Amino acid sequence: MSDRNAVPVLMYHSVGRRLGDWGAAELTTPVDIFEDHLKWLEKRRFQTINLQQLYDSVAHKSPLPERSIVLTFDDGYVDNWTYVVPLLNRYGFSATIAVNPDFIDPRDIVRPTLEDVWSGRIRENELEVRGF
């Protein structure tokens, strides 16, 4: 594959509010910067593909959409749900989130997201940003 056909892979961990007293704070991309990344990708007409599509392209020469890109998130931080998913939906992108099953919260709850903030049901500072 030539550089012209290379597919960028952007890897993130956490997106949201940076909390200095949280151990993963240095892994957090502020939400406004992440949204700027999505706006930039949208403006340039990038299309997200998943890792299987990328693999098929490399291994089997399967065609990909023009301006393909892969977005990934490691570790399954809760803010991937509260911040990332609503923003991906807003801009029409998808991503792969790698979740460590040892860290899954066993409670039977659905956490509020940015969509709840946008609709006025809660304030942004009420979104959970710590944990998995």
Side-chain angles (χ1 to χ4, degrees):
M1 178 167 11
S2 72
D3 285 345
R4 184 171 164 251
N5 296 323
V7 175
V9 177
L10 300 181
M11 187 274 298
Y12 300 88
H13 283 276
S14 172
V15 171
R17 298 186 318 273
R18 279 197 174 158
L19 302 175
D21 63 341
W22 186 47
E26 71 277 359
L27 300 175
T28 302
T29 301
V31 67
D32 58 328
I33 291 174
F34 178 68
E35 187 168 13
D36 285 346
H37 293 177
L38 296 180
K39 289 175 183 177
W40 189 91
L41 294 170
E42 179 188 52
K43 182 176 182 180
R44 285 153 185 84
R45 295 188 168 93
F46 275 90
Q47 298 179 61
T48 48
I49 61 169
N50 61 43
L51 291 171
Q52 184 65 53
Q53 289 171 290
L54 179 59
Y55 173 82
D56 290 343
S57 173
V58 172
H60 307 295
K61 308 288 188 242
S62 299
L64 291 173
E66 285 189 41
R67 306 192 65 76
S68 292
I69 191 165
V70 175
L71 302 177
T72 68
F73 294 83
D74 281 358
D75 303 320
Y77 290 104
V78 69
D79 56 42
N80 295 177
W81 166 253
T82 58
Y83 282 96
V84 173
V85 170
L87 286 168
L88 290 173
N89 289 338
R90 174 181 267 185
Y91 292 96
F93 292 123
S94 61
T96 298
I97 299 175
V99 176
N100 183 334
D102 288 340
F103 297 151
I104 294 174
D105 187 335
R107 296 177 295 168
D108 187 17
I109 60 171
V110 177
R111 293 182 174 104
T113 71
L114 267 179
E115 291 178 355
D116 296 297
V117 173
W118 297 332
S119 69
R121 288 190 288 273
I122 66 169
R123 294 182 310 234
E124 184 180 350
N125 66 352
E126 295 176 278
L127 290 177
E128 285 190 54
V129 293
R130 298 174 204 251
F132 299 87

